[in-house]
Amino acid sequence: EDQVTQSPEALRLQEGESSSLNCSYTVSGLRGLFWYRQDPGKGPEFLFTLYSAGEEKEKERLKATLTKKESFLHITAPKPEDSATYLCAVLTSGGSYIPTFGRGTSLIVHP
Amino acid sequence: GAGVSQSPSNKVTEKGKDVELRCDPISGHTALYWYRQSLGQGLEFLIYFQGNSAPDKSGLPSDRFSAERTGGSVSTLTIQRTQQEDSAVYLCASSLVNRGGNQPQHFGDGTRLSIL
């Protein structure tokens, strides 16, 4: 059974304190790994897609990396507006178009 | 361009009533998904459409839940004889479908359903 585990469940940072969120997966084969950001009262907002180990994507203070078993979302010098829940999801090679989502990491950045 | 649009944004109804939730996907997106998100919980998959057909409806929690999609575009999720445990945010997402089958989903902001 495909599994996606995100850690930590919650993370509190001071503004400017860099850190990383983890998404580990046990799937039969990876077609794609997706990162989303969800603000309270909103739907998830797409951030990145990663397709193969070694791939990296960057957007502002965020950088996503991928290995064969996990992905990291690195947040450099975060600001309070980066506070949100970050979700990762994977699509596996079994042919299903239904991604498996993790439970998310709730990030709070204090000024 | 326009994103995924859901309506209503909020719905309050009495237990036992039927409700219809609407989703307008991004133009050209042939795949459409419905999810449910309860407070503090993860995303619960309900149903997936490819065009107007639903090859995967395995997540529908009971026969009170049904969904349809017409014209390869708008989708409606219907909940009959609502129960209090149906209270949640219902999210719709759409995506392109390519040969690799690895395109991201784009979500609407959901309908917050409250059953009194």
Side-chain angles (χ1 to χ4, degrees):
Chain A
E1 181 182 339
D2 298 335
Q3 286 195 332
V4 178
T5 304
Q6 292 189 245
S7 61
E9 289 185 11
L11 181 62
R12 292 177 179 267
L13 300 173
Q14 288 298 125
E15 183 172 3
E17 179 187 3
S18 301
S19 189
S20 297
L21 314 182
N22 177 264
C23 172
S24 64
Y25 56 92
T26 54
V27 299
S28 54
L30 186 71
R31 296 210 312 268
L33 184 143
F34 311 97
W35 281 99
Y36 294 86
R37 168 196 172 121
Q38 187 174 22
D39 292 292
K42 300 288 188 181
E45 175 190 353
F46 169 67
L47 293 174
F48 304 111
T49 306
L50 300 167
Y51 294 112
S52 57
E55 190 175 0
E56 298 184 353
K57 294 274 180 74
E58 282 189 71
K59 179 181 179 180
E60 296 180 355
R61 294 176 294 282
L62 300 177
K63 183 168 86 171
T65 62
L66 181 66
T67 71
K68 288 187 177 180
K69 295 192 174 181
E70 59 191 348
S71 176
F72 290 95
L73 185 65
H74 306 277
I75 304 177
T76 301
K79 298 182 177 181
E81 53 262 42
D82 295 322
S83 298
T85 295
Y86 291 84
L87 299 167
C88 84
V90 299
L91 271 173
T92 66
S93 59
S96 171
Y97 288 94
I98 315 301
T100 301
F101 276 84
R103 296 288 298 269
T105 293
S106 174
L107 173 66
I108 298 176
V109 182
H110 296 285
Chain B
V4 176
S5 177
Q6 293 188 246
S7 61
S9 54
N10 286 282
K11 177 72 176 179
V12 181
T13 192
E14 293 179 347
K15 176 182 170 182
K17 300 286 188 183
D18 297 351
V19 294
E20 281 190 355
L21 313 180
R22 177 186 168 106
C23 173
D24 278 279
I26 293 172
S27 178
H29 282 195
T30 56
L32 185 147
Y33 309 76
W34 284 98
Y35 290 88
R36 181 166 70 176
Q37 189 173 39
S38 301
L39 190 63
Q41 300 298 309
L43 287 172
E44 177 187 4
F45 166 74
L46 297 178
I47 188 169
Y48 156 66
F49 286 93
Q50 178 54 43
N52 291 335
S53 63
D56 192 334
K57 51 179 78 172
S58 61
L60 294 178
S62 76
D63 59 7
R64 296 185 297 104
F65 287 72
S66 63
E68 67 175 11
R69 189 178 184 194
T70 56
S73 181
V74 173
S75 177
T76 302
L77 177 69
T78 301
I79 309 173
Q80 296 178 310
R81 304 181 303 281
T82 53
Q83 304 294 313
Q84 287 187 331
E85 61 262 29
D86 299 335
S87 296
V89 176
Y90 289 82
L91 291 163
C92 174
S94 68
S95 72
L96 291 168
V97 175
N98 64 356
R99 185 170 296 179
N102 53 11
Q103 293 300 295
Q105 297 170 314
H106 297 270
F107 285 81
D109 283 338
T111 293
R112 182 175 302 276
L113 178 63
S114 299
I115 309 299
L116 302 179

